[in-house]
Amino acid sequence: MTDSPQSPPETEAAIQGMAEAGTQIVNFWRQGIDSWAPLLAPLAAAGRDKVHPRDKRFAGSEWEHPVFDLMRQGYSVMSDYMLGAVENLDNVPPEQRARIAFAVRTIVEAMSPANSPLTNPVALNRAVETKGQSLMSGLQHLVEDLKRGQLTHTDPQAFRLGENIAVTPGKVIHQTPLYQLIQYAPQTETVLKTPLVIFPPWINRFYILDLTAEKSFIKWCVDQGITVFVASWKSADASMSEVVWDDYIAAQIDAIDTIRGLLDVDQVHTIGYCVAGTTLAATLAILAARGEANKVKSATFFTAQVDFSRAGDLLNFIDDAQLKLIESLETNGYLDGRYLALSFNLLRGKDLIWSTVVNNYLLGQDYPAFDLLHWNGDVTNLPAKWHRAYLCDLYRDNKLVQPGALSALGVPIDLTKVETPSFIQAGREDHIAPVESVWKIRDHFRGPMEFLLAGSGHIAGVVNPPAQMKYQYWTNANPVSSLEEFVAGATETKGSWWPYWHEWLERFDADRVPAEGPRIPGGGNLRAIEDAPGTYVKTR
C-alpha cells in the first residue's frame, strides 16, 4: 500500500484562498436566507409531510429552517413525480423501462439539495463554525480523489495487508500466472479430513473474507477445525489480455486437484462467492461431464447467480451502447478496476457516492477507519476479453442455463448434470445478486440443495460473524417450489448463519485427522512460497 500523495505548497495555498472566499460567500448567502425565513415559515410547515421521514440526507436539525425545509420538500415532490412517471410509461418494454428508471434515479439522486454547498444547511453551518477549515479540508479531499481517479471512502492509512487486515496465518503453497493458492495454518489439534477451498470473486480482493480478525470468515473456519485454502486472483495486466472464462475454470480445477494431491484426499469442499460461484457452477458441470464429479464433496454458493434473467440493476449496463462504452475504456487488454468500482457504486449512489461527497467534500470530515470500505476501494483490474464475454454471454444472452450453449475446456456446459450437494446463500437486500436471481440456481441443479436467506446484502449478508450477533437468517426445511413459498414458511433465526452452514458441512463427513504433516502449510510436498496474504493481492 502506498501513502496518499501530498499536495504541493502552491496547491495548498490555492485551496486556502478558495476556502476563505467560500467562507465570505457562505456568510453572505446565510444572511440572505435568514431574511426570507419569516415569510416562508407558514408555507414550509404546511408541506412537512412531503419529506420522507427515513431520508438520512435531510435528517439534520438545520433542515428545519423554513428556506431549506422548502428545498427538501420541493426535491421530495419532484423526485417522487419523476420516478413515478417512469413507472407509468405506456407501451415501453420492461427491460427499457428498467433502464430508464435506473437513469432517472441516478439523476434524481445527483440533484439532491444535500449535494450542494449552497443548499446544504449542515455544510453551511459547518463552514461558518470552522471559519472555512471544513471547506479547505473538503477541497483537499476532492483534489486528492481527482488525482486518484476514484472516490475515497475510508482512511487510506488505517489498514495494512498482513498487519491489521488479512492477518490469518498461512502460506502461499502454489502459484500460477492467474492465482496464488493460500493454505492457512491449523489452530486446532485435529481438523476435518475433507479440506475446504474458497474461490472469491476475481473482481475483488479475496480478503473480504479475511478482514480484521473479529470479522474474518477464513479465521472462523480455521478455528472450527477446517483445513482452509483460498485462491488469491491476480489483478489483470497486459500479460492477461487473452485470459477467458476457460482459464478461471481451469484454475479452479487446478486448485482442487492440487489440494487433493497435497493432502492425499479424494474430495474437497468448495465455496464460490459471487462471480466465482457462477464459475464454480460451470466447473461442477464440466467435472460431471468428465465423470469426475466426485472430486467435490459439496459446493457452497455465496450470493452467486447462474440464471441471469432476473439479475437486477446490473442488467442496465449491458445494452449495445454500454458495451461499446466499456470497450472504449479498455487499455492494453484489461479494464481498469476503477471503472467497475464506479459501476457498483452507482447501484447505491445515494450511499456510496453522494454521502461521501457530502461528508468528505462539503463537510470536510476525516475519513473513517472502516475495513470493509477499505476493501471496497481496493480495486482489481479485469481481463478485457473475458469481461466483455461475461457481460454478453451471461448477463445479456443468459447462455449458462441453456444446455450446451457455452463450452469451456472443450466441454459443453450443462448445469442440469450437476448433482453435487449444494448450499445456496442469498442476501435479502442484495442489489448485485438479487435473491430472486440467486434462487433460480435451484431450477437447474439436480443434486440435494439447501437454501438460506441471510439478512442484509451482498457483503454484510456474507460477512456476519457470530460474535457480533447482527442481522438474521431464514431457513425452511419443508419442500418448496418457489421463493415465495420458501419465505412464507421460513423460520427466522437471529444472528450469524455461519454456525448453521458449519453444521450442514459436517453432515457429509465429521471424520477428523491430526493437524500435522501436509495439514501445516509447507509441511507436505509443496514448499511454502511466501507468507499469506501473498503478493498477488498487493498487485495494483
Side-chain angles (χ1 to χ4, degrees):
M1 309 293 283
T2 58
D3 294 340
S4 299
Q6 298 296 316
S7 299
E10 58 270 19
T11 301
E12 292 186 2
I15 291 174
Q16 179 68 52
M18 286 189 288
E20 291 174 354
T23 305
Q24 295 176 8
I25 294 173
V26 166
N27 282 321
F28 179 78
W29 178 241
R30 273 188 38 166
Q31 292 172 10
I33 285 175
D34 288 341
S35 68
W36 282 92
L39 298 175
L40 298 178
L43 184 59
R48 191 63 49 80
D49 62 342
K50 302 298 183 183
V51 179
H52 303 299
R54 295 186 179 179
D55 195 332
K56 297 179 181 179
R57 294 173 295 179
F58 308 120
S61 60
E62 293 88 345
W63 286 99
E64 300 298 326
H65 187 289
V67 173
F68 295 107
D69 196 4
L70 280 175
M71 285 183 185
R72 65 177 178 176
Q73 289 177 35
Y75 171 75
S76 296
V77 171
M78 178 205 67
S79 60
D80 286 347
Y81 174 80
M82 292 180 66
L83 294 172
V86 175
E87 293 299 320
N88 294 321
L89 287 174
D90 295 326
N91 302 317
V92 177
E95 298 83 2
Q96 186 175 352
R97 183 185 290 112
R99 292 192 184 100
I100 295 173
F102 178 80
V104 170
R105 186 173 73 247
T106 301
I107 293 170
V108 165
E109 289 174 349
M111 292 172 62
S112 168
N115 300 335
S116 170
L118 294 181
T119 54
N120 185 326
V122 181
L124 290 170
N125 282 354
R126 177 76 172 164
V128 172
E129 292 169 357
T130 62
K131 297 181 180 180
Q133 182 59 44
S134 62
L135 295 177
M136 181 176 177
S137 297
L139 284 170
Q140 286 177 323
H141 291 159
L142 175 60
V143 168
E144 290 171 2
D145 283 358
L146 288 173
K147 290 179 181 178
R148 294 178 67 236
Q150 183 184 357
L151 280 174
T152 299
H153 290 97
T154 187
D155 181 358
Q157 308 303 321
F159 298 101
R160 294 287 186 272
L161 288 174
E163 295 179 18
N164 60 356
I165 194 171
V167 296
T168 303
K171 305 283 186 182
V172 175
I173 51 93
H174 179 63
Q175 178 174 307
T176 76
L178 189 57
Y179 81 105
Q180 289 186 317
L181 185 63
I182 301 172
Q183 180 183 6
Y184 290 92
Q187 301 298 314
T188 53
E189 292 185 0
T190 63
V191 292
L192 288 178
K193 180 179 179 181
T194 304
L196 169 68
V197 57
I198 302 174
F199 299 113
W202 59 84
I203 60 175
N204 302 113
R205 306 291 179 176
F206 82 87
Y207 65 88
I208 184 58
L209 298 176
D210 191 25
L211 295 172
T212 56
E214 297 78 14
K215 297 179 183 178
S216 173
F217 176 77
I218 291 172
K219 180 181 185 302
W220 184 85
C221 287
V222 171
D223 290 344
Q224 308 315 303
I226 302 174
T227 303
V228 179
F229 296 81
V230 172
S232 174
W233 305 106
K234 184 179 180 181
S235 181
D237 55 25
S239 69
M240 296 170 62
S241 61
E242 295 302 312
V243 167
V244 293
W245 203 20
D246 303 51
D247 298 292
Y248 286 100
I249 293 172
Q252 290 190 345
I253 295 174
D254 177 65
I256 291 168
D257 287 340
T258 297
I259 295 166
R260 291 172 61 246
L262 172 66
L263 301 185
D264 192 21
V265 294
D266 295 327
Q267 298 177 297
V268 301
H269 294 298
T270 59
I271 292 177
Y273 194 166
C274 188
V275 294
T278 306
T279 307
L280 178 59
T283 296
L284 296 176
I286 289 175
L287 290 176
R290 290 177 171 178
E292 300 175 352
N294 62 352
K295 289 182 177 180
V296 178
K297 178 164 284 191
S298 76
T300 296
F301 297 88
F302 291 170
T303 63
Q305 305 170 92
V306 301
D307 187 328
F308 291 81
S309 58
R310 302 189 66 181
D313 283 342
L314 279 174
L315 291 173
N316 297 310
F317 292 89
I318 60 163
D319 60 17
D320 291 340
Q322 293 287 346
L323 292 172
K324 187 170 292 185
L325 173 61
I326 292 170
E327 188 172 357
S328 71
L329 297 174
E330 298 167 358
T331 304
N332 296 324
Y334 67 90
L335 180 69
D336 191 317
R338 290 175 294 183
Y339 298 124
L340 190 67
L342 177 59
S343 298
F344 282 119
N345 287 343
L346 281 172
L347 297 180
R348 292 179 58 194
K350 188 161 61 176
D351 297 325
L352 294 178
I353 295 178
W354 296 113
S355 66
T356 298
V357 168
V358 171
N359 291 333
N360 303 125
Y361 299 166
L362 304 190
L363 301 180
Q365 293 179 351
D366 292 334
Y367 294 112
F370 189 11
D371 53 357
L372 197 153
L373 286 179
H374 174 88
W375 167 86
N376 187 64
D378 192 0
V379 299
T380 305
N381 301 331
L382 301 181
K385 188 174 183 179
W386 164 228
H387 182 243
R388 271 184 275 118
Y390 189 91
L391 294 179
C392 293
D393 291 344
L394 301 186
Y395 272 93
R396 187 188 68 186
D397 300 333
N398 203 20
K399 289 182 178 180
L400 184 56
V401 293
Q402 305 170 33
L406 290 176
S407 296
L409 306 178
V411 179
I413 298 173
D414 184 354
L415 297 184
T416 65
K417 302 299 184 183
V418 177
E419 298 181 356
T420 304
S422 299
F423 187 100
I424 303 161
Q425 178 268 341
R428 184 179 62 172
E429 301 166 14
D430 197 330
H431 61 289
I432 294 175
V435 58
E436 298 85 359
S437 186
V438 174
W439 171 268
K440 292 180 75 64
I441 294 178
R442 293 170 51 95
D443 296 337
H444 305 285
F445 286 0
R446 293 293 177 264
M449 286 174 278
E450 176 99 14
F451 184 85
L452 180 143
L453 181 61
S456 197
H458 196 70
I459 303 301
V462 173
V463 184
N464 183 18
Q468 292 190 347
M469 280 302 294
K470 292 181 66 176
Y471 309 121
Q472 66 282 99
Y473 65 91
W474 292 266
T475 55
N476 191 337
N478 300 316
V480 295
S481 58
S482 67
L483 177 60
E484 293 74 19
E485 192 177 344
F486 172 90
V487 171
T491 299
E492 178 179 345
T493 304
K494 300 294 184 183
S496 173
W497 55 269
W498 294 2
Y500 183 92
W501 167 80
H502 182 245
E503 291 177 6
W504 175 86
L505 195 74
E506 287 201 325
R507 292 179 206 164
F508 298 99
D509 183 6
D511 291 347
R512 303 180 77 88
V513 297
E516 59 188 22
R519 298 283 172 161
I520 299 173
N525 57 14
L526 293 178
R527 66 179 181 84
I529 298 173
E530 59 180 331
D531 290 335
T535 53
Y536 279 14
V537 73
K538 301 175 183 178
T539 303
R540 298 293 173 262

